[in-house]
Amino acid sequence: MNYEYFIAKRIVAGKVYKSSVSAPIIKIGIAAITIGIVVMMIAIATGIGLQQKIREKVIAFNGHVTIANYDSNNSQESMVPISKKQDFYPKFTSVEGISHIQAIATKLGVIRTEDDFEGAILKGVGVDYNWDYFKAFLIEGRIPDYTKKRNEDVLISQYLANRLGFILGDRFQMVFAKKDLNKPPSIITYRIVGIYNSGFRDFDATYIIGDIRHIQRINRWDEDQIGSFEVFIEDFDDLEQMGIEIYKNTPSDLNTQTVSDKYFSIFEWIKIFDTNIYGIIGIMILIAGINMITALLVLILERTQMIGILKALGSSNWSIRKVFIYNASYLIILGLIWGNLFGLGLLFTQKYFKLFPLDPSVYYVTEAPVYINLGYIMALNFGTMIMCLLMLLVPSYVITKISPVKAIRFE
């Protein structure tokens, strides 16, 4: 029989325990564990959620890796065409872990209306384009169909539509300059068939999605000439290694660039979230541990006579320490249960009802995204439990210094 557990259980169940001097301290200790778990859970869920959402939006417009011609011009416009007749296209079989590759081209143009104009980039796509990301961004209309003959259907952002007063079904002219500036520009009348909102203001204010064949015609490219390839991989964690492998398996006249290199500042910024998460976890565990140490010391002080009697009956110091560690474990578990209830309740409320909005100009998302995963929740609970128990081993050492005779006489 585990008599240490038996004694600890009797102490917890006793009415005196609940109305004793230590009761408020115990409640504070439980509250500290509860608040700590809630804060840590929110920090992890929102931190990882923001990283994933921002990353997905950048990848939606660029792919994981871009393959294009070496070009000293840093413009976002496709300047030098490359042929689609490559060994790695349409299936990149030489490198494992690639899920999709698509051909695109970009062209800088000016949207012209009766009383306004706006610069934008037409991103030309074809039959191989993966629309999965934009299906999630679509708020009105439909995805354009470029599987048949060339057409003027485009997908425009809600930001540009509101800025220029466009609605679904409207037509507008877009003016494209030619290489020879002495020649008149090309003018194409487009029709809005879909409106998207990625929440990423920099991209929403820049890109219109249209038929790649228009760019090929304006630039006088052949049918098999495009601006660049966008490569999508299965696991983002392998991005750097995959970028190297893709580079090794492309011709020497083509360059590759990972999305993290192309948008270095954005990806460096979201990496800071990891530091913030670790910092919050460390602080919360430290606060919870200090409160539990205080609660344990108060419990020991309150049960000094019991400690003396147990020692007089032959109990070892470690055996008595186990009684109080069992007692503290109960309090920690109670705090974890309440913390998980409140924390998961808040996270699921945000996930489905989106109560807390964010400024998209700062965070690139319209509401605080949450990432809920059983793995990190279990690790967080287990880690908090272990760290608090390890911190309690030190104050429990006080028991070894208590004299049985003095403890029995203690009032």
Side-chain angles (χ1 to χ4, degrees), residues 300-320:
I300 291 172
L301 181 65
E302 191 178 47
R303 296 282 172 173
T304 302
Q305 286 185 331
M306 185 193 79
I307 293 170
I309 293 171
L310 289 174
K311 282 192 174 186
L313 291 173
S315 293
S316 65
N317 286 322
W318 175 239
S319 180
I320 299 171

Side-chain angles (χ1 to χ4, degrees), residues 355-381:
L355 300 180
F356 302 100
L358 292 176
D359 184 357
S361 64
V362 178
Y363 295 100
Y364 305 114
V365 291
T366 54
E367 69 275 332
V370 293
Y371 171 75
I372 302 174
N373 180 273
L374 182 61
Y376 82 74
I377 293 173
M378 295 296 293
L380 190 62
N381 282 272

Side-chain angles (χ1 to χ4, degrees), residues 311-330:
K311 282 192 174 186
L313 291 173
S315 293
S316 65
N317 286 322
W318 175 239
S319 180
I320 299 171
R321 289 171 71 184
K322 283 173 67 178
V323 171
F324 287 94
I325 290 174
Y326 278 133
N327 204 339
S329 298
Y330 165 77

Side-chain angles (χ1 to χ4, degrees), residues 145-163:
D145 182 10
Y146 303 135
T147 58
K148 300 175 183 177
K149 65 178 182 179
R150 186 179 68 207
N151 61 66
E152 287 73 39
D153 294 346
V154 295
L155 197 63
I156 193 171
S157 70
Q158 186 180 39
Y159 173 84
L160 285 175
N162 292 340
R163 187 175 176 85

Side-chain angles (χ1 to χ4, degrees), residues 33 284-294 387-388 391-392:
I33 297 287
M284 288 297 106
I285 289 179
L286 182 63
I287 292 172
I290 290 172
N291 278 275
M292 289 309 303
I293 287 171
T294 304
M387 291 301 296
C388 286
M391 293 172 71
L392 292 177

Side-chain angles (χ1 to χ4, degrees), residues 264-279:
F264 179 79
S265 59
I266 293 175
F267 281 87
E268 283 299 305
W269 174 63
I270 63 177
K271 281 181 182 178
I272 297 174
F273 296 166
D274 291 332
T275 305
N276 294 341
I277 291 171
Y278 295 142

